[in-house]
Amino acid sequence: MNDQEQREFDKNLENLRLELRRGTLVLGVLSRLQRPQYGYSLVEELGARGIAAEAGTLYPLLRRLEAQQLLESVWETSGPKPRKYYVLTAQGKVMLGLLTAEWQEITKNMIGLLREE
Amino acid sequence: MNDQEQREFDKNLENLRLELRRGTLVLGVLSRLQRPQYGYSLVEELGARGIAAEAGTLYPLLRRLEAQQLLESVWETSGPKPRKYYVLTAQGKVMLGLLTAEWQEITKNMIGLLREE
DNA sequence: GATGATACTGTATGACACACACTATTGTCA
DNA sequence: TGACAATAGTGTGTGTCATACAGTATCATC
């Protein structure tokens, strides 16, 4: 593999890794928002737990989930910086349960596939 | 939740399940193509193993992976129907290893997140 | 020997989530 | 004063997927 091919390979790898991570961000966010938390702290916590998320990805995601009524938010303005706290709604809790089950199913199937030679 | 809201919820659920599955198809395909196999049989086998894939999704995927030099193909025309057999290239094997590691890392992180209350 | 199902491969279109690169404000500390 | 951190947001492009569609050749069934 020459340099050119190596760069192609690396680009494809990044792309495929990206696709693999896809969707897990939502599940991660929902699982964390069983307790109220604000966006910036979510980025930090998920990052610390191995789930890197760009702020530019997370904020639109939170707003989307709120629009879907899976989250609700309140502004906390008493501190030095205004923070928008999000937390799961009742629907959000149900969704978290369903997606967790789906995730476990997918994981089970993938393990079956990957185990064989 | 009224009917309208229920439909919204179901739509969102389908969408999120879709995103969760995303990327796993590639990993599944690569893992199966350690041995040569043709498209139609892949659809069957993956389906039997719990990874539903539409033909209209799989064929473009196979061609894409071949264009990325992760797969190579040969036409088998001796049988009654022409079949295009795909198999991993050397690069494809490396990629499979890297993506498998990534998958395990993601899984580990998600389990950590989901385990807590 | 016609009719329909099945095996087999392919293409076009559209939706949507993500990364990335921005903008913007306010507080803090050197 | 000036830089960095905290905090929230938007806009654009890219890529994968589902869905729907097109096409051919074989096999079974009647």
Side-chain angles (χ1 to χ4, degrees):
Chain A
M1 233 181 349
N2 61 33
D3 281 8
Q4 171 67 21
E5 287 166 346
Q6 183 69 49
R7 277 193 300 276
E8 280 298 315
F9 183 88
D10 291 344
K11 206 184 79 191
N12 289 333
L13 172 58
E14 267 324 294
N15 223 340
L16 293 173
R17 281 164 40 105
L18 183 59
E19 289 299 318
L20 261 190
R21 280 198 303 271
R22 222 176 154 117
T24 60
L25 182 55
V26 170
L27 190 47
V29 165
L30 291 181
S31 83
R32 288 303 88 196
L33 291 182
Q34 294 176 87
R35 303 265 169 99
Q37 200 165 169
Y38 60 100
Y40 192 84
S41 66
L42 252 182
V43 175
E44 303 273 294
E45 189 188 353
L46 290 174
R49 289 166 172 277
I51 302 192
E54 297 295 321
T57 299
L58 193 63
Y59 287 116
L61 171 63
L62 290 171
R63 298 173 138 259
R64 198 171 75 237
L65 295 176
E66 186 176 24
Q68 293 174 357
Q69 321 220 26
L70 302 176
L71 301 180
E72 56 193 1
S73 65
V74 290
W75 280 97
E76 170 62 51
T77 51
S78 64
K81 294 275 180 138
R83 294 168 169 175
K84 197 173 183 180
Y85 277 82
Y86 288 91
V87 71
L88 285 190
T89 61
Q91 280 191 42
K93 287 178 189 163
V94 174
M95 185 65 87
L96 172 58
L98 292 172
L99 289 181
T100 299
E102 173 76 10
W103 162 260
Q104 282 162 350
E105 178 73 13
I106 293 172
T107 301
K108 198 187 69 186
N109 289 333
M110 286 307 302
I111 288 175
L113 278 187
L114 293 175
R115 191 169 36 212
E116 304 170 26
E117 96 275 27
Chain B
M1 237 184 342
N2 60 33
D3 280 7
Q4 170 66 23
E5 287 167 347
Q6 183 68 48
R7 277 193 301 276
E8 280 299 314
F9 183 88
D10 290 344
K11 207 185 78 190
N12 289 333
L13 172 58
E14 266 324 294
N15 223 339
L16 292 173
R17 279 166 40 105
L18 184 59
E19 289 298 319
L20 261 190
R21 280 199 303 273
R22 220 174 155 119
T24 61
L25 182 56
V26 170
L27 190 47
V29 165
L30 291 180
S31 83
R32 289 301 89 195
L33 291 182
Q34 294 176 83
R35 303 264 170 98
Q37 200 165 168
Y38 59 100
Y40 192 85
S41 66
L42 252 182
V43 175
E44 304 273 293
E45 190 189 353
L46 290 174
R49 290 167 171 276
I51 303 193
E54 297 295 319
T57 299
L58 192 63
Y59 286 115
L61 171 62
L62 290 171
R63 299 173 138 260
R64 198 171 75 236
L65 294 177
E66 186 176 23
Q68 293 174 357
Q69 320 219 27
L70 301 176
L71 301 179
E72 56 193 1
S73 66
V74 289
W75 279 98
E76 170 63 50
T77 51
S78 64
K81 293 275 181 141
R83 294 168 169 175
K84 198 174 183 180
Y85 277 82
Y86 289 91
V87 71
L88 285 190
T89 61
Q91 280 191 42
K93 287 177 190 164
V94 175
M95 186 64 87
L96 172 58
L98 292 171
L99 289 181
T100 299
E102 174 77 9
W103 163 260
Q104 283 162 350
E105 178 73 13
I106 293 171
T107 302
K108 198 187 68 187
N109 288 333
M110 286 306 302
I111 289 175
L113 279 187
L114 294 175
R115 189 169 39 212
E116 306 170 25
E117 96 272 30

